[in-house]
Amino acid sequence: MTCLMISKTDGNCKSFAGDEQEELSNQAVCLDPVYDVLWGYNPRSQEIHCYNVMISEAQDLQKIDSGYCNIFSPELAMPTRLGCQATRSHCALHILGCLDTLTVANQLKFSVSEESREKAAINKVYSKEDFTVVNRFESHGGGWGYSGHSVEAIRFMCDTDVLLGGLGLFGGRGGYLGRIKLYELGLEGGDNEGDGELLAETDETQFVCGAREKYAMLFDEPVQIHANFWYVAWARISGPSSDCGANGLGTVHTEDSVVFKFKSSRKSNNGTDINAGQIPQLLYKLPRRDSQTISRKTDQMDTAHILSTEFAHIVTPKSLEALLKLLEYSWSALHATVPTASGFKGEQEEVLSDLQRIVFISRACLRLLRTYVADVYPDGAMNLNNKKKISQESTELAECIGDARDLLRRILAEDLQTLKLRASLTEHQSMRRYRQMREAVLHECHTTFRTCFHAFYPTGHLKWWCLCDLLCQTDPIIKRRGNIPQNSHNVQGVSRLLAAVMEAMCHPAVKLTAIMPINCEPETEAVLRRHSMSIDDNTNAMARIGETHRYPVLASHMTCRMEEDSVPATPHITFKEVLDRLLMIVSVPVRQVLSKETPTFPNALVANTCALLATIIGELAATAMGLEMDINVSSRPMLVTPNRFMRCSNTYQWNTGAGSPDGIAFSVDKPGIVMAGICVYGGSGTYEFEVTVLKEEVCLNFSFYCAQKQG
């Protein structure tokens, strides 16, 4: 074996020998007095490791992205011992980690495996045949009478973990009314019988059984019986006198190699003891070998509740305001802690540890923000079968969305003093670690801004204004000397924000030719711009003048913000001027590389600009060729994949009779792809097809007819 675990409660041992087990033979280990973790110290490497039995169940989440939280880590975990104190900030950090974990797990479609087992167990009805019987008497007697307050009880224990299903009771003289209970006394219950803890009980039940027979009275669910723990089997019976047992046994060995021991109980007041009386049988069964080990009593004190998606998605204006304040605080703290040429001020590891917590707070807030925004204002790129409920919008929610947009714009466009960081990057290692943490937050902010772009700029006019405004801010960057741009003070910040906007505008739900005034005179552009104030290109890809917005309060609020913050000359920029700027962003880096100069624009901006230009050209080409279709779920032209077969055979015939299914698996390497249908082979005659598209547990059905004449 690789590892041996010994329970401090009852001394039970369990060994582990798998390859996934940690080798602890070369470490000094000890249990934490407050947290349920094991600490190990390796004297050779002088490293300290923290082991948590629950972390192994969450490894899949950690493998996807190391930025996701680990609520079992010492920084986020809460004490499990009673009476332990924790700081307010520690509790708040743990709650944030739980919300983040629950949200990410729901997005990744993680489920709790125990949920289905519990539901199956609830619906199961047990009978006597499901259990093994333990008889504690060797012979029978008769004439056991009952009064209104008589109680039968017996103590017992076993040397193996079992599941107790119920008790066997004597009858034999007619009808009886019975009720049973089970108490747990603990490890010391054999020497000192206390009141015990009630584990299970039944309602009063009428039963009838023949002479020298036993009636099996069962609990609703089998009760976990722990090895070496003492219990009290309790019964109250009313009715005529019944059979009874005689020559009781103190120890019983079963065929399953389980040893049961019995003792008299002081709860019994009707004469039942170890030698004679009622409760002749215990009905038990062994746990399945493939089931999890029965948890100890100390583990049962904390009940695990399965949390639903709605629990973490209760969105209110106050919750959004609190989330934005927390995000603003964490970003300000990260941005203020810039290392110098000699590193951080104070203890290096202590400052880096604090920064890691700040980075986690920032990333968790950003993930929760995009989830909350999507819940309040779902993206318009939804198919007709999507019945996602749209919440009632309000002015307070719209103001929160506007505040979120302004905060994310400020984070992405922040002046991060990159020149200073690059100059001192080789002087101290902490500079590189700080830059990695900062880039992780900016990447999360980029994803959040792109995901929430449909709510930040809900109309086509707002999207066009946003692009024009940012391109106008690049004028100082694009000013040329011999067609080579000059570096501005904050070129990286403007480029980050512009790259996020361009990537969002390449989404299939956005129709660029409806947003951009292509091939229009300036006067015509002004007219179209006024009409497009109410156009919602998220609701319908082919939005037309006069349509009302699906979120009128949000659109009105965002438009007012745009009019307050915009530069007067910004909205009057023409499409030709926008196109010139886009082509400049794409062409300038090529010239700089040929001249062996450092590129001015980051790679992300150049790549997204190329994607935006390609999307515009694709829409124009589709319109010119008549391939564009009015589809609510996408504004992109209808495309067809190349034939997956090299050639078509005219000699072989494909049998399609008797409902024979044909299937093929496929995948795509880009997000936002919308599937409109499939192509099938036909021939002479008429065919009826039924197409099913499967993705995990999602099934889409299509039925159609195909008719083709010979030749």
Side-chain angles (χ1 to χ4, degrees):
M1 62 185 177
T2 303
C3 181
L4 177 67
M5 304 298 294
I6 305 175
S7 174
K8 294 192 300 181
T9 305
D10 55 9
N12 193 352
C13 300
K14 187 173 182 180
S15 60
F16 302 89
D19 297 336
E20 71 278 3
Q21 299 299 323
E22 183 73 14
E23 178 62 47
L24 301 177
S25 60
N26 58 349
Q27 298 188 36
V29 297
C30 69
L31 291 172
D32 193 290
V34 178
Y35 298 89
D36 283 337
V37 297
L38 183 73
W39 293 97
Y41 171 71
N42 191 330
R44 295 182 179 178
S45 61
Q46 296 184 349
E47 294 180 347
I48 297 178
H49 299 275
C50 179
Y51 302 99
N52 189 314
V53 69
M54 298 295 294
I55 292 181
S56 60
E57 301 295 333
Q59 289 302 312
D60 294 337
L61 187 62
Q62 296 296 317
K63 292 178 182 178
I64 296 175
D65 190 336
S66 59
Y68 292 141
C69 76
N70 182 2
I71 58 175
F72 303 110
S73 63
E75 293 82 4
L76 297 180
M78 294 298 297
T80 56
R81 302 292 188 269
L82 296 178
C84 295
Q85 296 182 352
T87 63
R88 188 174 182 179
S89 59
H90 193 177
C91 296
L93 194 62
H94 181 76
I95 294 175
L96 178 64
C98 291
L99 288 175
D100 184 42
T101 301
L102 181 60
T103 302
V104 173
N106 287 325
Q107 291 175 350
L108 299 177
K109 298 182 180 180
F110 285 179
S111 61
V112 181
S113 58
E114 293 295 330
E115 183 177 7
S116 58
R117 299 180 184 178
E118 293 176 1
K119 291 181 179 179
I122 292 175
N123 297 327
K124 180 175 177 56
V125 178
Y126 295 93
S127 63
K128 183 178 180 179
E129 287 70 23
D130 295 326
F131 303 96
T132 304
V133 176
V134 180
N135 293 289
R136 71 182 190 92
F137 295 118
E138 290 185 335
S139 59
H140 292 79
W144 197 265
Y146 306 98
S147 63
H149 303 284
S150 60
V151 174
E152 322 292 338
I154 192 71
R155 282 184 294 166
F156 71 94
M157 64 89 70
C158 58
D159 64 347
T160 305
D161 291 342
V162 299
L163 297 174
L164 184 70
L167 308 178
L169 302 178
F170 280 121
R173 304 290 193 277
Y176 299 86
L177 189 63
R179 181 183 184 185
I180 62 174
K181 297 181 181 181
L182 180 67
Y183 292 88
E184 181 180 319
L185 302 177
L187 292 171
E188 306 298 330
D191 299 329
N192 182 18
E193 181 183 358
D195 294 334
E197 177 185 355
L198 180 62
L199 298 182
E201 62 179 328
T202 65
D203 298 329
E204 287 189 338
T205 305
Q206 293 183 351
F207 67 93
V208 178
C209 65
R212 297 204 172 188
E213 294 182 359
K214 291 90 174 177
Y215 175 78
M217 186 168 291
L218 303 178
F219 298 110
D220 293 336
E221 291 293 329
V223 184
Q224 296 177 353
I225 301 298
H226 305 308
N228 304 318
F229 275 59
W230 282 91
Y231 299 85
V232 174
W234 182 99
R236 173 171 288 171
I237 304 171
S238 61
S241 60
S242 68
D243 296 336
C244 66
N247 300 325
L249 302 174
T251 303
V252 178
H253 296 265
T254 68
E255 296 180 356
D256 297 326
S257 299
V258 180
V259 178
F260 283 85
K261 293 184 179 181
F262 297 93
K263 286 186 178 183
S264 302
S265 172
R266 65 181 181 85
K267 293 181 181 294
S268 178
N269 61 13
N270 199 40
T272 295
D273 57 16
I274 190 175
N275 297 314
Q278 261 282 8
I279 314 180
Q281 294 177 339
L282 301 180
L283 284 72
Y284 79 96
K285 66 177 181 179
L286 295 175
R288 294 170 50 185
R289 293 185 177 181
D290 58 349
S291 64
Q292 296 181 353
T293 305
I294 299 176
S295 58
R296 302 292 159 197
K297 181 185 177 183
T298 53
D299 299 331
Q300 294 180 346
M301 295 177 61
D302 298 327
T303 304
H305 299 278
I306 300 175
L307 302 179
S308 62
T309 305
E310 290 75 14
F311 176 81
H313 290 188
I314 301 176
V315 185
T316 62
K318 291 185 178 180
S319 63
L320 282 175
E321 291 175 2
L323 193 64
L324 293 177
K325 289 181 180 179
L326 186 59
L327 175 59
E328 186 173 11
Y329 152 76
S330 60
W331 173 251
S332 299
L334 177 64
H335 186 52
T337 314
V338 180
T340 60
S342 58
F344 295 102
K345 296 181 180 180
E347 295 294 334
Q348 301 292 326
E349 294 300 327
E350 181 179 354
V351 175
L352 286 174
S353 179
D354 291 338
L355 284 178
Q356 289 176 351
R357 282 189 287 271
I358 292 174
V359 169
F360 162 71
I361 294 174
S362 299
R363 299 189 67 183
C365 290
L366 289 168
R367 285 190 288 264
L368 289 174
L369 179 60
R370 62 173 176 257
T371 302
Y372 290 169
V373 172
D375 287 340
V376 178
Y377 296 103
D379 191 357
M382 301 184 297
N383 58 47
L384 299 178
N385 294 326
N386 193 338
K387 303 299 183 182
K388 187 172 183 179
K389 182 180 179 181
I390 300 177
S391 59
Q392 187 71 25
E393 63 171 345
S394 63
T395 305
E396 292 77 10
L397 282 175
E399 291 178 354
C400 292
I401 299 300
D403 294 339
R405 185 196 68 181
D406 295 343
L407 178 58
L408 264 58
R409 283 176 58 97
R410 182 163 61 85
I411 293 176
L412 289 173
E414 190 85 50
D415 183 10
L416 300 178
Q417 302 177 0
T418 54
L419 297 179
K420 177 181 178 181
L421 289 177
R422 289 179 180 176
S424 58
L425 187 60
T426 59
E427 299 178 8
H428 202 279
Q429 185 179 5
S430 60
M431 197 74 67
R432 180 178 289 106
R433 297 180 62 181
Y434 172 81
R435 185 179 182 184
Q436 293 174 350
M437 290 187 290
R438 186 200 63 193
E439 291 299 326
V441 176
L442 290 175
H443 176 73
E444 202 75 58
C445 186
H446 174 95
T447 304
T448 303
F449 188 88
R450 181 200 64 201
T451 306
C452 303
F453 188 76
H454 68 281
F456 292 163
Y457 303 95
T459 66
H461 173 62
L462 293 176
K463 291 180 175 63
W464 173 248
W465 166 83
C466 177
L467 180 63
C468 295
D469 179 67
L470 291 177
L471 288 176
C472 287
Q473 293 183 33
T474 60
D475 278 343
I477 306 174
I478 301 179
K479 285 182 179 179
R480 293 168 290 176
R481 288 182 181 175
N483 292 332
I484 302 298
Q486 299 175 344
N487 290 329
S488 68
H489 180 65
N490 191 21
V491 58
Q492 295 294 327
V494 177
S495 299
R496 278 193 303 270
L497 181 57
L498 186 57
V501 171
M502 289 185 178
E503 183 175 349
M505 294 186 70
C506 291
H507 193 277
V510 180
K511 182 173 177 58
L512 296 177
T513 53
I515 295 174
M516 300 180 176
I518 302 175
N519 197 23
C520 293
E521 297 297 330
E523 295 78 8
T524 307
E525 291 185 22
V527 175
L528 293 177
R529 191 176 298 112
R530 287 194 299 269
H531 283 290
S532 65
M533 294 293 290
S534 62
I535 295 180
D536 177 13
D537 56 293
N538 292 320
T539 305
N540 189 338
M542 300 297 294
R544 295 176 175 85
I545 296 177
E547 290 187 5
T548 59
H549 199 281
R550 69 187 306 201
Y551 306 122
V553 177
L554 178 66
S556 175
H557 180 77
M558 290 301 187
T559 302
C560 292
R561 281 181 176 253
M562 179 269 293
E563 293 175 350
E564 294 175 358
D565 301 337
S566 63
V567 179
T570 297
H572 301 289
I573 186 173
T574 63
F575 174 75
K576 182 179 182 303
E577 294 173 329
V578 169
L579 184 61
D580 291 339
R581 287 173 168 83
L582 295 178
L583 294 175
M584 182 64 66
I585 294 175
V586 173
S587 60
V588 162
V590 178
R591 301 174 185 174
Q592 291 178 326
V593 171
L594 294 177
S595 302
K596 297 182 179 180
E597 298 181 1
T598 303
T600 302
F601 300 109
N603 296 332
L605 176 60
V606 178
N608 292 343
T609 304
C610 292
L612 184 64
L613 289 171
T615 304
I616 297 174
I617 295 173
E619 289 190 16
L620 293 175
T623 303
M625 298 177 63
L627 297 178
E628 192 175 19
M629 299 181 65
D630 189 358
I631 303 176
N632 287 335
V633 297
S634 177
S635 63
R636 296 294 178 261
M638 183 75 68
L639 302 177
V640 180
T641 62
N643 197 326
R644 67 185 187 90
F645 297 108
M646 296 295 296
R647 57 188 179 88
C648 180
S649 176
N650 296 323
T651 58
Y652 295 98
Q653 294 183 353
W654 197 261
N655 184 15
T656 60
S660 301
D662 295 302
I664 191 68
F666 69 94
S667 64
V668 296
D669 61 350
K670 294 182 179 180
I673 303 299
V674 179
M675 180 178 176
I678 67 171
C679 295
V680 296
Y681 281 117
S684 60
T686 302
Y687 302 87
E688 180 180 350
F689 292 89
E690 181 178 353
V691 181
T692 301
V693 183
L694 299 174
K695 176 188 176 184
E696 295 178 353
E697 298 180 356
V698 179
C699 177
L700 303 177
N701 293 306
F702 303 93
S703 297
F704 58 92
Y705 294 89
C706 177
Q708 181 175 343
K709 297 181 180 180
Q710 181 69 33

